[in-house]
């Protein structure tokens, strides 16, 4: 198993970091997790191939996690992809994804490769393939805070990936501390990949103290916050060794 951070930035565009995305690779499958603005350049920057990606899973539809999906499909088409691809999204967002692709003047039946959009449900096991199992859970990142009267689901997901002998929690963007404990209080996580923008670092530490993951990777980072995060990690005393600032291109085995 290999995990590569393709983008570790926040919603604020950066010259140092691409928007949040990771690539999970096993001997039989490559799964792209999120596809925000600039994902096609992030993939190139990481030395990866568009046409080797087997599937994509989307946590939510904010532009820094989602809007690059159409430009990525275009790159695959230009490069004469023939291998089918699956895009996983919450079942209530399938229509929105189809409309978004269509509104970019991309017509799925006209592609030379099969594009299959599959819906997942929260709290149900989602087999990506034989080597990757995913459990999605709804987090509180997206809420209808303006009480808008529109017929559109406000949905944001966190994921637990079981890949070979590793358990990986990817919070994506979160709303509050409760989202850090969506997968319970059991001490089982090998990699805990945590949004560092929408929550206080000390709140992360209080949860990590109980969960005791083997390693914590702070991501979704604003450039101006990096120094303060580095200093915070240095002050974590005996547990500081499990904290890491994720960087674009960082690869874990």
């Amino acid at each position: 198993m290999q995990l590569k951070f393709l983008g570790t930035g926040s919603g604020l565009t950066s010259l140092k970091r691409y928007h949040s995305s990771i690539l999970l690779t096993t001997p039989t499958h490559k799964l792209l997790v999120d596809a925000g603005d600039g994902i096609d350049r992030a993939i190139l920057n990481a030395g990866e191939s568009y046409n080797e990606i087997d599937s994509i899973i989307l946590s939510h539809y904010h532009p820094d996690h989602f809007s690059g999906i159409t430009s990525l499909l275009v790159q695959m088409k230009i490069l004469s992809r023939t291998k089918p691809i699956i895009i996983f999204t919450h079942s209530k967002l399938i229509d929105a994804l189809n409309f978004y692709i269509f509104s970019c003047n991309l017509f799925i039946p006209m592609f030379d490769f099969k594009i299959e959009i599959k819906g997942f449900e929260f709290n149900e096991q989602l087999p990506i393939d034989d080597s990757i199992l995913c459990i999605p859970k709804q987090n509180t990142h997206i809420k209808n805070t303006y009480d808008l009267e529109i017929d559109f689901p406000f949905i944001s997901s966190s994921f637990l990936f079981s890949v070979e002998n590793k358990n990986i929690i990817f919070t994506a963007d979160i709303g509050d501390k409760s989202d850090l404990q969506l997968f319970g209080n059991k001490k089982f996580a090998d990699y805990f990949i945590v949004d560092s923008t929408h929550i206080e670092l000390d709140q992360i530490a209080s949860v990590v103290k109980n969960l005791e993951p083997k390693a914590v990777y702070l991501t979704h980072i604003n450039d101006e916050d990096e120094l303060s995060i580095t200093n915070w990690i240095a002050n974590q005393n005996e547990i500081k060794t499990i904290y890491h600032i994720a960087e674009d291109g960082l690869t874990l085995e």
Side-chain angles (χ1 to χ4, degrees), residues 52-100:
E52 290 182 3
I53 296 169
D54 296 290
S55 62
I56 302 166
I57 191 166
L58 300 169
S59 66
H60 63 291
Y61 284 13
H62 277 155
D64 57 316
H65 289 257
F66 158 74
S67 66
I69 187 69
T70 48
S71 62
L72 181 55
L73 292 175
V74 167
Q75 298 309 307
M76 293 174 177
K77 179 177 175 62
I78 291 173
L79 293 173
S80 303
R81 181 186 177 106
T82 57
K83 183 169 66 172
I85 192 165
I86 301 172
I87 305 174
F88 296 99
T89 188
H90 191 274
S91 59
K92 291 183 179 179
L93 294 173
I94 290 175
D95 289 345
L97 179 56
N98 274 309
F99 181 77
Y100 180 67

Side-chain angles (χ1 to χ4, degrees), residues 67-187:
S67 66
I69 187 69
T70 48
S71 62
L72 181 55
L73 292 175
V74 167
Q75 298 309 307
M76 293 174 177
K77 179 177 175 62
I78 291 173
L79 293 173
S80 303
R81 181 186 177 106
T82 57
K83 183 169 66 172
I85 192 165
I86 301 172
I87 305 174
F88 296 99
T89 188
H90 191 274
S91 59
K92 291 183 179 179
L93 294 173
I94 290 175
D95 289 345
L97 179 56
N98 274 309
F99 181 77
Y100 180 67
I101 293 172
F102 179 79
S103 67
C104 292
N105 293 329
L106 300 180
F107 311 116
I108 288 177
M110 303 298 293
F111 278 70
D112 295 327
F113 58 95
K114 182 180 179 181
I115 301 171
E116 185 177 3
I117 298 175
K118 288 188 176 182
F120 60 73
E121 302 294 339
F122 289 128
N123 308 313
E124 293 184 6
Q125 290 188 347
L126 173 67
I128 304 296
D129 89 325
D130 291 340
S131 64
I132 305 175
L133 180 67
C134 175
I135 298 177
K137 287 185 177 286
Q138 184 168 18
N139 65 43
T140 63
H141 175 56
I142 297 178
K143 296 180 179 179
N144 188 357
T145 55
Y146 297 101
D147 196 26
L148 300 175
E149 295 183 4
I150 57 175
D151 184 21
F152 187 83
F154 291 81
I155 292 176
S156 182
S157 310
S158 295
F159 302 120
L160 167 61
F161 298 105
S162 296
V163 187
E164 297 174 352
N165 62 340
K166 295 285 196 306
N167 291 310
I168 303 160
I169 296 175
F170 176 65
T171 68
D173 293 359
I174 56 177
D176 57 43
K177 179 180 175 180
S178 67
D179 293 327
L180 299 175
Q181 298 171 290
L182 289 175
F183 299 97
N185 293 315
K186 293 181 180 179
K187 302 173 183 179

Side-chain angles (χ1 to χ4, degrees), residues 28 51 53 87 147 197-198 208 211 226-227:
T28 59
N51 287 345
I53 296 169
I87 305 174
D147 196 26
T197 299
H198 300 100
V208 166
L211 295 182
E226 185 167 347
L227 180 58

